[in-house]
Amino acid sequence: MEVSVIGNSQTRIFRGAELAYKELGFRFGSVVISGESRNKVTFLSQSSRLKDFSIRCSPRSVKCEAIVSDGVPFLNSTPKSRSLDSVKLFVGLPLDTVSGCNNVNHLKAITAGLKALKLLGVEGIELPIFWGVVEKEASGKYDWSGYLAVAEIVKKVGLKLHASLSFHGSKQTDIGLPDWVAEIGEAVPGVYFTDRYGQQYKDCLSFAVDDVPVLDGKTPMEVYRGFCESFKTVFSDYMGNTITGITLGLGPDGELRYPSHQHDAKRSGAGEFQCYDKHMLSALKSYAESSGNPLWGLGGPHDAPAYDQQPHSSAFFSDGGSWETQYGEFFLSWYSSLLTSHADRVLSVASSAFSGIGVPLCGKLPLLHQWNKLRSQPSELTAGFYSPNGQDRYEAITEIFAKNSCRMIIPGMDLSDEHQSPLSSPESLLAHLKTSCKKQGVVVSGQNSSAPAPGGFERIVENLKDENAGIDLFTYQRMGALFFSPEHFHDFTVFVRNLSQFELSSDDQAAEVETNTVNIGSGTGAPSLQAA
């Protein structure tokens, strides 16, 4: 891969990118980088020929044009597709950018990586901010130091920042809920989601305790409000200039859903209902009694399959099964209503806390496409999305987003039906969600899925071209060892080229500027950034 960088200032930025590769463990060429060899860094694919592209940059602007000469096709515009030059491209930072001890991890690599992204024309970065890091020790005791340091780096590089306030834990980073919350969880039963086997999901509080004073006399909503107000105060100098968006965590992994798979990483089944904690069962009991069917309030469906079982292995999700009965409508309506109410509470708290700052608020939905060609659409039901009588099961959610003037982040824009099981269609579900949002006037922002998808970049571009959706912000997840690997970084550069067409100014074209050539190379070594 040969990269021509025009302009000494841009050369310094790109050399910063070299440092990012070093920190990731890549070997630059076959010799020590010094003198002239510093500008010769081999970027070889182990399974394919050398790929050539050049980046032409204006000394006065970091916007660039990538010209690829290895036969990778660009996606041509069609009369029905919208221009993509207005799409703002963000890249997510690693989940462990700030450690549980409030230290900035991989500082040199992240700084250098941000400079490289700025050079490519990326608009900004997304920063996950964990409740368990900031308010770790005690209620109301905040330490924003690590995240403030990252915000200052982003500002100095000249990128924008999208802050994701995460009220959940992450096993990938070994960051849990705040220590004082975890202590309450051990001492006070019923604050965590629980399945029918008694297994607790300890990376997120149960929606049933939203307005219950289980956190040292405060409700979770009161604690979340304090967190948001502290963030607003501490980052006031960044609001509207560096910080241009805020996402509110709505559930497991930040998404609005029940943790229907809990510890089942393979997700081979449809998931299970998470309604067996003390407060969920109490709410179910009250709902059943008010509906005149007290026996229905003793627990969740008895005939639903287990985590690793196929949806049709038991009666609940089968055609004509329990989900279509009067009992099924009763239970699923109650289960989904708690999800909708939770979304309304969190987004209302955030809308109030951030009122007047002029920064858009966002919430994220999952793309639950597994098994969605079945009539019951079981993965959506166990995650909490349901509407009786064949109505749009996402309508109530989009209405909540519209009411609170929040954008909706939808992941999975890199997925295609071609590479899914016969009973899964991410394309149709994504189209449905975009239509529901358009109907309610909810602005959609896009993300890719966490795992690489075949043909993912091309699929993202096609989704962004959809003039009916009008998506103007896309966040690519996420920086890490895979992101900076030779094959992937090349493909990402092609993707950026597909989004924007940048031209040199006439002054730059006329200027006689020394050209430095950098060959960026693979090699071996242990990665130091954690990929999500």
Side-chain angles (χ1 to χ4, degrees), residues 70 307 324 404 524:
D70 67 345
Y307 287 114
E324 294 190 273
N404 291 286
T524 59

Side-chain angles (χ1 to χ4, degrees), residues 376-451:
S376 59
Q377 298 177 320
S379 293
E380 292 172 278
L381 297 186
T382 57
F385 295 91
Y386 171 77
S387 186
N389 303 319
Q391 298 174 7
D392 180 3
R393 60 186 60 189
Y394 292 97
E395 183 174 358
I397 297 296
T398 52
E399 287 177 351
I400 293 300
F401 274 69
K403 168 190 169 184
N404 291 286
S405 301
C406 287
R407 287 173 173 253
M408 183 180 290
I409 299 172
I410 306 176
M413 291 198 172
D414 55 336
L415 300 178
S416 61
D417 291 357
E418 178 184 359
H419 300 288
Q420 305 299 321
S421 70
L423 294 175
S424 173
S425 176
E427 292 181 30
S428 63
L429 179 54
L430 181 57
H432 177 75
L433 284 170
K434 289 189 290 188
T435 299
S436 296
C437 287
K438 184 177 181 180
K439 180 180 177 182
Q440 298 295 333
V442 175
V443 178
V444 173
S445 295
Q447 282 187 6
N448 55 307
S449 48
S450 58

Side-chain angles (χ1 to χ4, degrees), residues 29-183:
S30 57
V31 295
V32 177
I33 301 175
S34 61
E36 292 185 1
S37 66
R38 186 175 184 81
N39 291 329
K40 296 293 293 182
V41 187
T42 305
F43 193 16
L44 293 173
S45 164
Q46 296 181 2
S47 60
S48 62
R49 59 189 174 84
L50 184 67
K51 297 179 177 181
D52 296 324
F53 74 96
S54 64
I55 300 178
R56 298 186 314 207
C57 302
S58 160
R60 291 191 269 174
S61 170
V62 293
K63 292 183 177 180
C64 60
E65 179 177 3
I67 307 168
V68 178
S69 59
D70 67 345
V72 176
F74 291 123
L75 300 177
N76 298 320
S77 297
T78 66
K80 294 182 179 180
S81 63
R82 60 193 285 261
S83 172
L84 297 181
D85 55 8
S86 63
V87 176
K88 297 178 179 66
L89 176 62
F90 279 59
V91 175
L93 282 171
L95 292 174
D96 67 341
T97 294
V98 176
S99 71
C101 298
N102 234 312
N103 296 318
V104 180
N105 290 323
H106 330 296
L107 180 60
K108 290 183 179 180
I110 286 176
T111 303
L114 294 181
K115 291 178 179 179
L117 294 179
K118 177 69 173 176
L119 174 65
L120 286 176
V122 170
E123 177 83 7
I125 63 98
E126 177 262 342
L127 173 64
I129 298 176
F130 284 97
W131 180 28
V133 173
V134 176
E135 198 177 358
K136 182 176 183 177
E137 296 181 0
S139 176
K141 184 179 180 181
Y142 307 107
D143 183 355
W144 299 97
S145 57
Y147 296 111
L148 276 168
V150 176
E152 187 61 23
I153 294 170
V154 172
K155 179 180 179 180
K156 288 181 177 178
V157 171
L159 291 167
K160 303 300 183 184
L161 187 149
H162 187 109
S164 295
L165 305 185
S166 305
F167 299 115
H168 63 275
S170 170
K171 289 184 174 59
Q172 297 181 56
T173 61
D174 198 28
I175 296 176
L177 298 184
D179 290 348
W180 62 277
V181 174
E183 290 173 3

Side-chain angles (χ1 to χ4, degrees), residues 39-344:
N39 291 329
K40 296 293 293 182
V41 187
T42 305
F43 193 16
L44 293 173
S45 164
Q46 296 181 2
S47 60
S48 62
R49 59 189 174 84
L50 184 67
K51 297 179 177 181
D52 296 324
F53 74 96
S54 64
I55 300 178
R56 298 186 314 207
C57 302
S58 160
R60 291 191 269 174
S61 170
V62 293
K63 292 183 177 180
C64 60
E65 179 177 3
I67 307 168
V68 178
S69 59
D70 67 345
V72 176
F74 291 123
L75 300 177
N76 298 320
S77 297
T78 66
K80 294 182 179 180
S81 63
R82 60 193 285 261
S83 172
L84 297 181
D85 55 8
S86 63
V87 176
K88 297 178 179 66
L89 176 62
F90 279 59
V91 175
L93 282 171
L95 292 174
D96 67 341
T97 294
V98 176
S99 71
C101 298
N102 234 312
N103 296 318
V104 180
N105 290 323
H106 330 296
L107 180 60
K108 290 183 179 180
I110 286 176
T111 303
L114 294 181
K115 291 178 179 179
L117 294 179
K118 177 69 173 176
L119 174 65
L120 286 176
V122 170
E123 177 83 7
I125 63 98
E126 177 262 342
L127 173 64
I129 298 176
F130 284 97
W131 180 28
V133 173
V134 176
E135 198 177 358
K136 182 176 183 177
E137 296 181 0
S139 176
K141 184 179 180 181
Y142 307 107
D143 183 355
W144 299 97
S145 57
Y147 296 111
L148 276 168
V150 176
E152 187 61 23
I153 294 170
V154 172
K155 179 180 179 180
K156 288 181 177 178
V157 171
L159 291 167
K160 303 300 183 184
L161 187 149
H162 187 109
S164 295
L165 305 185
S166 305
F167 299 115
H168 63 275
S170 170
K171 289 184 174 59
Q172 297 181 56
T173 61
D174 198 28
I175 296 176
L177 298 184
D179 290 348
W180 62 277
V181 174
E183 290 173 3
I184 292 173
E186 293 299 320
V188 180
V191 300
Y192 297 127
F193 287 113
T194 307
D195 64 18
R196 57 181 164 177
Y197 313 107
Q199 298 179 98
Q200 296 179 316
Y201 181 82
K202 297 184 179 181
D203 284 328
C204 181
L205 294 178
S206 169
F207 300 154
V209 300
D210 279 355
D211 289 326
V212 181
V214 294
L215 301 180
D216 286 347
K218 294 182 178 180
T219 70
M221 290 301 112
E222 290 172 332
V223 174
Y224 296 166
R225 179 184 294 275
F227 189 89
C228 291
E229 290 175 345
S230 176
F231 174 78
K232 177 183 176 180
T233 299
V234 173
F235 287 84
S236 58
D237 291 343
Y238 298 90
M239 292 294 181
N241 44 66
T242 299
I243 297 177
T244 57
I246 300 171
T247 294
L248 282 303
L250 298 175
D253 298 324
E255 298 177 336
L256 180 62
R257 60 177 173 86
Y258 288 97
S260 49
H261 284 275
Q262 277 222 29
H263 313 292
D264 180 19
K266 296 181 180 179
R267 300 196 175 192
S268 55
E272 293 202 34
F273 296 106
Q274 308 292 312
C275 60
Y276 293 88
D277 66 75
K278 170 185 173 182
H279 295 280
M280 288 284 282
L281 287 174
S282 176
L284 177 58
K285 182 176 182 292
S286 297
Y287 185 71
E289 290 173 350
S290 66
S291 301
N293 296 287
L295 294 179
W296 287 354
L298 301 179
H302 69 280
D303 56 350
Y307 287 114
D308 59 350
Q309 292 180 322
Q310 301 290 298
H312 283 134
S313 63
S314 57
F316 189 84
F317 295 119
S318 301
D319 289 346
S322 301
W323 72 279
E324 294 190 273
T325 65
Q326 186 178 0
Y327 164 74
E329 181 180 334
F330 155 83
F331 175 81
L332 295 171
S333 295
W334 167 79
Y335 191 66
S336 64
S337 69
L338 265 66
L339 184 81
T340 305
S341 298
H342 172 75
D344 192 20

